[in-house]
Amino acid sequence: MIALTSTPIDVASALNYLQSSQAGAVDLFLGVVRDNTQNRPVDRLEYEAYDKMALSEIQKIVDSAHHRWTLLGCVVIHRTGTLLIGEMAVLIGVATAHRADAFDACRYIIDTIKQTVPIWKKEIFTDGEVWVNAHP
Amino acid sequence: MIALTSTPIDVASALNYLQSSQAGAVDLFLGVVRDNTQNRPVDRLEYEAYDKMALSEIQKIVDSAHHRWTLLGCVVIHRTGTLLIGEMAVLIGVATAHRADAFDACRYIIDTIKQTVPIWKKEIFTDGEVWVNAHP
Amino acid sequence: MNSSANVLLFGIARDLTGQSSVLVPLAPDTRVSDLLTTIHKQYPALLGIQSLLVAVNGEYAEADQPLTPQDEIALIPPVSGG
Amino acid sequence: MNSSANVLLFGIARDLTGQSSVLVPLAPDTRVSDLLTTIHKQYPALLGIQSLLVAVNGEYAEADQPLTPQDEIALIPPVSGG
């Protein structure tokens, strides 16, 4: 399951989707909005996506993970819009027979999402704002 | 939070416990009962613990993880008793500022639990049963 | 024949131009690198972005990829999802 | 003075002896290795376990650790949690 959503991510339904009688391991990674970036206090984040391409780039990453590991299930959900401190920005969930594959695949997916998927994050501080990674 | 429990593990309350305004990453590992071991069909598992020592050995592992990484929160919950296919045997949850620490600490904790914590698992097949790791 | 392409802008590119898309003249045989040159002339502020890739029909495009007026074209500033 | 220790058994050790604890004579100066020797004589079936550690008061004990009747002693077969 791959989705972009402007409403809060539901962990329970993601876990439900990952249920498999062959699964011995589930690794779930949650990216969360934290209250600071390099000690500068963050007020909120705004996520923007090129939806169609973001979904197809995530699909490529998931396909590549399926190619590298034997995955029994895989969920990627990314929030868009305004997110407050403590809110979940992204959920990656992977179910496998054995735990090493779950950890490796989950980590690969989040690392690669951060490199290739057209989603942009603006950090809004109390005294300004910045598009992350945009400036030299 | 460290716990042994004979009732189903509640993911939502574990996540709730891991909430921290400084957390940017949460890694959650779930060990689940799968329907086979080396292609032999499993009917159910029975977990037994030397409770007092299991809790103190888990505490040592969590302390050591806190020593190696900066953890904002850590949850370890292990089931005991009879578990059916698809049930969660163990939950490890780690909250950190950055994701690499969450993955590394979570993996370290589950790997070490499997090596040192006095908990024993009996696999019950349709045609027999075996204490895992007990025989040469 | 003079045609043009509607180029989608996101994130900092949208903020710097104040527009979510811009019309760019598209001469015959225009390639991705030509489009970038044209856009940078039209909107010099975009030169302040660390890197700017181009997506054509939802796929990252190479600099020498030819463009047609039917293509969906987007500028991709450095991504920062997750 | 003849004393004895109540040794807790778990997992396969409990299954092989049919008991969740066994009383083992504890002569003065008995060490962990002596206890294991005594138990293995009393319950030879336990020799079939891949490895058998001893915990004293909830901590893994070395072979030369001395035992007293006040200690909580447990046999620890290979663990398999998680």
Side-chain angles (χ1 to χ4, degrees), chain A residues 25 41 72 75 77 102 123 129 134:
Chain A
L72 299 165
V75 176
I77 306 171
E123 289 173 333
E129 55 183 50

Side-chain angles (χ1 to χ4, degrees), chain A residues 47-50 52-53 56-57 60 78 89-90 110 114-122 129 131-136, chain C residues 8-16 48-51 55 57-60 72-82:
Chain A
Y47 280 92
E48 179 179 337
Y50 180 12
K52 187 181 67 170
M53 182 176 172
S56 71
E57 287 293 324
K60 285 182 195 171
H78 204 298
V90 62
I110 181 65
K114 284 174 173 275
Q115 290 164 14
T116 66
V117 176
I119 297 177
W120 300 273
K121 171 168 55 186
K122 182 154 69 171
E129 55 183 50
W131 286 101
V132 176
N133 296 345
H135 294 286
Chain C
L8 305 174
L9 303 179
F10 296 96
I12 191 166
R14 189 175 35 67
D15 272 12
L16 287 175
I49 305 177
Q50 169 152 283
S51 78
N57 302 320
E59 301 281 342
Y60 286 107
E72 177 174 309
I73 303 173
L75 296 191
I76 310 290
V79 302
S80 51

Side-chain angles (χ1 to χ4, degrees), chain C:
Chain C
M1 193 191 85
N2 256 350
S3 64
S4 60
N6 187 43
V7 177
L8 305 174
L9 303 179
F10 296 96
I12 191 166
R14 189 175 35 67
D15 272 12
L16 287 175
T17 59
Q19 297 177 251
S20 61
S21 68
V22 292
L23 268 180
V24 180
L26 202 67
D29 302 322
T30 297
R31 293 172 187 264
V32 162
S33 54
D34 307 323
L35 178 89
L36 278 174
T37 307
T38 308
I39 286 187
H40 279 139
K41 265 183 214 149
Q42 227 172 314
Y43 299 95
L46 295 177
L47 289 164
I49 305 177
Q50 169 152 283
S51 78
L52 208 46
L53 299 176
V54 174
V56 178
N57 302 320
E59 301 281 342
Y60 286 107
E62 300 291 329
D64 61 356
Q65 182 168 328
L67 297 169
T68 76
Q70 289 74 44
D71 290 329
E72 177 174 309
I73 303 173
L75 296 191
I76 310 290
V79 302
S80 51

